[in-house]
Amino acid sequence: MKTSAIATSDLTAAKAFIDEQKTAQGNFPGPCPVIYTGEDIENAIKAGITAVITDDYTTTLEGIDIIYKVESPEQVAKISGNAFFVYGSADNQVGIINAIPKGSVILASVEAMQNDNNELERAKELQSQGVTAVLMEKACIGDNEDIEYSTFVIDGLTKKRSSTFNMSGLTGSTNGHFGGIAQSTSKSW
């Protein structure tokens, strides 16, 4: 599972993300795709979005990836595409995921900032069920904690380390550089 896109329903925000991401062209990492979830698809395409999430199963767009929003296995059966955004309660998501054809791209919605950081566990459960990527719903809300929280989530989903036993620099027996505890307390969101 990789973290590599920005999704928004706000066209003004989408334009700002697209303009900012143009500065990454030719660099590593390259531009982050901007996925539009709003209603004004025509203007979003003109602005330069990469993909749209839609629940209109008749939508066809030239040069833009379409991710179909599904909330039931019956909706999955109506779609001839191969990219799905699984939306709904955790209990409902399992049945939807099982209905999606193998080899499809599967995005799933997870509510951000849950008690005891349960969003990380839920995202990992979804990954084990075949989900390709998660969308942390409302993870960025425009306050000073957006970057810190986003970094916490990305690290929690992509790094291969314990989220409860956090030690750093334990290579002293090999190279003489002894570290210590990276953080003495855990941070809950």
Side-chain angles (χ1 to χ4, degrees):
M1 184 179 295
K2 300 290 181 192
T3 305
S4 59
I6 298 168
T8 183
S9 62
D10 182 325
L11 185 55
T12 302
K15 288 178 183 178
F17 288 133
I18 291 163
D19 289 344
E20 190 279 330
Q21 287 301 301
K22 287 178 183 174
T23 65
Q25 287 181 328
N27 295 323
F28 181 82
C32 184
V34 178
I35 301 171
Y36 184 66
T37 62
E39 299 296 321
D40 192 358
I41 293 174
E42 184 177 326
N43 283 319
I45 291 170
K46 288 177 186 175
I49 54 105
T50 311
V52 297
I53 294 177
T54 182
D55 57 5
D56 178 357
Y57 306 138
T58 63
T59 300
T60 57
L61 301 169
E62 190 67 35
I64 299 293
D65 291 325
I66 301 171
I67 304 165
Y68 294 100
K69 180 179 176 181
V70 291
E71 298 183 61
S72 72
E74 294 76 25
Q75 288 177 335
V76 171
K78 296 178 184 178
I79 300 170
S80 63
N82 67 347
F84 299 86
F85 175 55
V86 178
Y87 194 79
S89 69
D91 294 336
N92 193 33
Q93 286 178 328
V94 175
I96 299 168
I97 293 166
N98 290 335
I100 294 174
K102 299 290 183 226
S104 296
V105 174
I106 306 172
L107 285 77
S109 170
V110 175
E111 182 184 340
M113 297 190 186
Q114 296 181 25
N115 291 335
D116 299 322
N117 303 324
N118 285 332
E119 67 270 33
L120 298 179
E121 290 307 311
R122 179 66 188 139
K124 290 174 185 179
E125 288 172 16
L126 288 165
Q127 180 184 19
S128 72
Q129 295 167 0
V131 168
T132 312
V134 295
L135 175 63
M136 285 292 169
E137 292 280 342
K138 299 179 182 163
C140 295
I141 57 172
D143 67 13
N144 292 333
E145 292 182 343
D146 283 353
I147 293 174
E148 186 178 358
Y149 177 73
S150 296
T151 301
F152 163 77
V153 170
I154 291 166
D155 286 352
L157 295 177
T158 60
K159 301 237 171 151
K160 295 183 187 262
R161 69 174 187 207
S162 170
S163 59
T164 56
F165 185 73
N166 189 9
M167 300 291 282
S168 68
L170 298 179
T171 59
S173 62
T174 304
N175 63 17
H177 298 146
F178 289 92
I181 298 175
Q183 185 173 328
S184 59
T185 61
S186 63
K187 176 120 180 169
S188 294
W189 293 94

